Amino acid sequence: MKHLLLPAAALSLGLASFSSSLLSSQSSAPVAETAFSSDPNTTDEQPQDHKLVIYQMMTRLFGNKTAVNKPYGMLQENGVGKFNDISNTALQAIKKMGASHVWYTGVLEHATMTDYTKHGIALDDADVVKGRAGSPYAVKDYYDVDPDLAVNVKSRMQEFEALVKRTHDNDLKVIIDFIPNHVARTYKSDARPAGVVDLGEKDDKTKAFAPNNNFYYLPGKSFVVPAGYNPLGPLAGPREDKKFQEVPAKATGNDVFSEAPKVDDWFETIKLNYGVDYQNGRAQHFTPIPDTWLKMRDILVFWTKKNVDGFRCDMAEMVPVEFWAWVIPELKKVKPDLIFIGEAYDAKTYKMYIEQGHFDYLYDKVGLYDGLRRLMRGEGTTEDITKVWSQESRGFSGHMLRFLENHDEQRITSKDFAGNPRAAIPAMTVSATLGTGPVMLYFGQDVGEPAHGSEGFSGEDGRTTIFDYWGVPEHQKWMNGGKFDGGKLSEEQKQLQAFYSRLLNLSSQSEAIRRGRFYELQDANNLGAQYNQRQLYTYLRFTDKQRLLIVANFSPDKTYKPTIRIPKEVMQLMGLNPTQFHTFTELLSQAPAVETLNLTLAPQSAYIFEIKPKE
């Protein structure tokens, strides 16, 4: 049966007379500030406002209006989005959804099977390119932008610069990728500024490792194209012959020190050398500063001077933390408010990369994302959420970037994930409001894009391809031929998008969400007859000016009617008098204030109540 989304205003709130069962009968003595350090339901982390709302787009797909979607289709067949498609109208629509930043994914020039030789760009070899369009993480020139994205290829940098200005003019900030760990096997910078020595140009290729080499070598060995690699399935790719020449072979991007990487390795990339001798106990050679460090700093300065506002750093943990500790302060000398977001998956090193490495934000993937994914699939419990704030990111949760989709992850609506866009409602509410850190929305998520179909290199895997030319069907309905008004969306999709817009705008505007403290109410409610603590999650976010109660029901099919209890000492902690009557206003639906809180929690629902003393 198809689940229809209910407008937030129609979500059922069971209203009854005010009951003192909202509060526990414990002592009403004032609670000291030290309660935060001793209470297991909260932390003593001093909240800081880091509430960015990031809209991520796969730039080549975002503005593509073509709907042919031929597997392995060429640019001329399947179309491609351009910088210029990201119009003022598009940016205003993104801004109205609550965004503060746009992450333009895939801007840098990367290896591709599309022929741009007439524009002076060398043709890549299909044997070392993934997908017809190519991976945006196999960078071919750090100093250039992807020619696919330009209307006039010769003016591609000017078109990018105009997009940056246009984004700023619409009161949004610009984030682009920085891919520091690896480059395309065909890397060669044609656009580098005068006087810049290219990567590898002065390497001593007779040595497997040298501190000032930019790459790692396998002297005396030739690169071997992975057996079984078939770049375009039944079609032939440019220069495809299984004989790509690379002598001596270089180490592959995912730390494979062999001339013959496997087909599931990052074989289309080569690893950069930051002064770590991997084949000799990972010995570190950081003094004097390695040449790669200096080159990477100069690349970051180049883009910073293009007026970008931040970098999402790919696979940040595969680069030594000592490099980040040096380079990020160097860049903040150029632009003090520049932000650095690290793609990170090892929770044991989070604190090190934030405190020592100076990252502003890290991915909260293996913690909150994975836990919420399990809940959305009916496989986990809310204990996963508790573990994240109480253990994994305790003390630095404001530095963790929360999300439910990005270019690497499966779409929520895909059959591989939840199969139902409504499953995102409680999970996205938690992602956006659990802490003071940033939250991210991936384009098409807000209209339930399911990523159906096998695009080519990217098979039927529940993801929107980053390797192929493609139109994104549900997103195209929102785009509506460039009007960006949702004109072709179904009623259900319009309701879903309205939810995302209300949630993200509230997250960006609410004092309590932006900079408030956190208090979990699971322990206070776990004995309630209608409180299933495995599927319901309840917490408070508050400052001395605003108090919010957030309730989420992750069950796909069960309705609950719990009486939510807030202990008296917690009311006092929020600066409220527990003997006084209070009103509750549901902010997502903007419903009228009520004096009761007997809830009816529909399956896969979420509520944000503002608590105020009754006047």
Side-chain angles (χ1 to χ4, degrees):
M1 178 179 173
K2 188 175 182 182
H3 293 272
L4 286 176
L5 288 162
L6 296 173
L11 295 172
S12 176
L13 287 173
L15 306 181
S17 60
F18 179 84
S19 169
S20 62
S21 65
L22 175 67
L23 311 174
S24 80
S25 59
Q26 298 175 34
S27 167
S28 59
V31 179
E33 181 73 14
T34 54
F36 288 111
S37 58
S38 59
D39 191 328
N41 298 295
T42 187
T43 76
D44 57 0
E45 180 177 344
Q46 290 295 320
Q48 293 181 309
D49 184 355
H50 295 293
K51 191 54 73 179
L52 319 181
V53 178
I54 301 170
Y55 183 94
Q56 182 197 1
M57 69 169 71
M58 185 65 203
T59 313
R60 80 157 79 100
L61 302 182
F62 178 84
N64 184 19
K65 302 179 185 71
T66 306
V68 173
N69 284 357
K70 175 184 174 183
Y72 296 105
M74 294 186 290
L75 182 155
Q76 295 85 348
E77 296 169 308
N78 283 354
V80 70
K82 306 288 186 182
F83 291 133
N84 289 1
D85 291 323
I86 308 164
S87 62
N88 286 311
T89 305
L91 291 165
Q92 274 302 301
I94 292 169
K95 180 70 179 174
K96 286 175 185 174
M97 288 174 65
S100 58
H101 292 65
V102 184
W103 167 15
Y104 294 114
T105 306
V107 162
L108 300 185
E109 184 187 340
H110 54 266
T112 178
M113 295 190 206
T114 299
D115 188 347
Y116 286 104
T117 51
K118 67 180 181 181
H119 298 287
I121 299 171
L123 181 64
D124 290 303
D125 189 317
D127 288 327
V128 287
V129 179
K130 289 182 177 176
R132 177 79 76 178
S135 168
Y137 295 96
V139 172
K140 190 165 74 169
D141 190 342
Y142 276 126
Y143 287 101
D144 208 347
V145 296
D146 179 8
D148 279 351
L149 302 175
V151 173
N152 182 343
V153 173
K154 288 185 177 179
S155 303
R156 58 191 179 276
M157 187 61 79
Q158 288 84 354
E159 289 186 28
F160 171 72
E161 291 166 348
L163 173 62
V164 173
K165 182 180 185 303
R166 195 158 60 246
T167 307
H168 289 155
D169 288 347
N170 284 281
D171 195 26
L172 290 160
K173 294 192 173 182
V174 173
I175 296 169
I176 65 169
D177 293 284
F178 174 53
I179 299 94
N181 177 64
H182 50 266
V183 295
R185 288 206 178 263
T186 52
Y187 186 90
K188 185 178 186 300
S189 178
D190 302 315
R192 67 186 187 275
V196 171
V197 177
D198 209 7
L199 286 167
E201 192 175 320
K202 294 189 175 180
D203 280 7
D204 182 347
K205 299 179 183 179
T206 67
K207 294 180 178 177
F209 169 82
N212 277 324
N213 275 359
N214 298 136
F215 300 117
Y216 296 95
Y217 296 91
L218 299 159
K221 296 183 178 180
S222 300
F223 174 75
V224 179
V225 176
Y229 182 51
N230 193 2
L232 293 178
L235 307 173
R239 302 170 66 184
E240 180 184 349
D241 58 7
K242 311 294 183 193
K243 296 178 182 178
F244 177 74
Q245 294 294 307
E246 183 180 278
V247 185
K250 301 183 184 77
T252 291
N254 59 324
D255 297 356
V256 174
F257 287 78
S258 165
E259 76 280 11
K262 296 181 175 62
V263 73
D264 55 354
D265 286 321
W266 304 348
F267 66 85
E268 81 281 22
T269 68
I270 46 179
K271 186 170 179 68
L272 285 162
N273 170 12
Y274 284 80
V276 179
D277 189 351
Y278 283 84
Q279 294 175 294
N280 286 291
R282 293 181 177 245
Q284 297 179 341
H285 301 263
F286 298 155
T287 305
I289 292 172
D291 183 70
T292 301
W293 290 28
L294 299 169
K295 283 184 164 64
M296 294 295 111
R297 178 200 60 190
D298 293 347
I299 290 161
L300 286 164
V301 168
F302 173 84
W303 291 104
T304 300
K305 289 184 175 178
K306 295 286 183 189
N307 214 14
V308 305
D309 303 291
F311 298 95
R312 177 270 188 188
C313 301
D314 187 69
M315 299 306 296
E317 294 164 319
M318 294 186 78
V319 173
V321 71
E322 290 83 358
F323 166 72
W324 300 114
W326 173 78
V327 81
I328 291 177
E330 286 285 296
L331 266 293
K332 293 200 176 186
K333 292 176 187 173
V334 178
K335 188 171 186 174
D337 57 353
L338 201 64
I339 63 168
F340 281 82
I341 301 169
E343 180 189 15
Y345 301 109
D346 182 359
K348 297 184 185 69
T349 66
Y350 287 170
K351 193 171 185 180
M352 178 176 72
Y353 274 81
I354 292 167
E355 293 184 356
Q356 182 183 339
H358 301 299
F359 271 97
D360 297 289
Y361 309 109
L362 298 178
Y363 271 34
D364 197 342
K365 195 274 180 190
V366 299
L368 193 63
Y369 169 87
D370 282 354
L372 291 174
R373 179 184 168 95
R374 287 189 290 272
L375 274 164
M376 294 163 75
R377 289 170 55 85
E379 299 166 351
T381 77
T382 60
E383 291 175 6
D384 286 334
I385 304 173
T386 302
K387 182 181 177 183
V388 168
W389 70 258
S390 65
Q391 299 175 41
E392 199 169 82
S393 57
R394 187 182 186 94
F396 53 86
S397 66
H399 295 277
M400 302 306 292
L401 168 66
R402 272 73 190 250
F403 55 85
L404 293 183
E405 287 188 357
N406 63 39
H407 65 282
D408 285 321
E409 307 302 340
Q410 291 172 324
R411 292 285 193 175
I412 295 159
T413 312
S414 72
K415 63 182 183 344
D416 305 272
F417 191 158
N420 170 18
R422 189 188 178 98
I425 291 175
M428 194 67 187
T429 302
V430 171
S431 291
T433 67
L434 189 69
T436 61
V439 63
M440 184 166 73
L441 178 78
Y442 192 39
F443 86 113
Q445 176 184 341
D446 52 306
V447 295
E449 171 58 44
H452 289 327
S454 176
E455 300 101 333
F457 180 84
S458 187
E460 181 82 52
D461 61 1
R463 297 174 177 85
T464 294
T465 182
I466 64 170
F467 304 101
D468 308 280
Y469 296 112
W470 203 250
V472 184
E474 304 311 310
H475 167 73
Q476 288 179 332
K477 292 177 183 177
W478 173 72
M479 187 164 57
N480 193 18
K483 295 179 183 177
F484 297 95
D485 61 359
K488 295 181 180 178
L489 297 175
S490 69
E491 195 57 38
E492 183 180 2
Q493 287 175 312
K494 289 177 182 177
Q495 292 172 14
L496 181 70
Q497 192 180 55
F499 157 75
Y500 276 101
S501 183
R502 287 192 299 267
L503 175 65
L504 295 177
N505 275 288
L506 177 60
S507 298
S508 67
Q509 295 164 15
S510 162
E511 154 105 3
I513 295 172
R514 292 193 71 99
R515 59 182 68 87
R517 288 194 176 273
F518 166 87
Y519 194 97
E520 187 183 86
L521 291 173
Q522 296 297 87
D523 283 352
N525 288 279
N526 61 14
L527 298 179
Q530 275 280 310
Y531 197 88
N532 180 345
Q533 65 173 335
R534 295 172 63 85
Q535 294 187 315
L536 301 183
Y537 193 69
T538 307
Y539 53 100
L540 299 162
R541 295 293 312 283
F542 59 94
T543 65
D544 57 354
K545 295 178 182 177
Q546 187 183 41
R547 295 91 177 169
L548 301 181
L549 168 68
I550 299 158
V551 187
N553 177 12
F554 286 92
S555 173
D557 52 17
K558 289 186 174 63
T559 296
Y560 295 100
K561 298 182 180 182
T563 298
I564 301 298
R565 297 172 63 250
I566 304 176
K568 285 184 178 179
E569 64 270 22
V570 180
M571 295 291 281
Q572 291 173 324
L573 201 61
M574 292 193 291
L576 296 174
N577 181 351
T579 64
Q580 188 176 353
F581 286 91
H582 296 86
T583 62
F584 303 88
T585 305
E586 211 290 304
L587 300 181
L588 286 176
S589 64
Q590 299 175 329
V594 296
E595 297 177 28
T596 63
L597 206 62
N598 287 347
L599 299 178
T600 297
L601 303 179
Q604 296 174 330
S605 63
Y607 307 84
I608 301 176
F609 294 98
E610 184 167 14
I611 309 171
K612 289 183 177 179
K614 185 181 178 185
E615 296 178 355

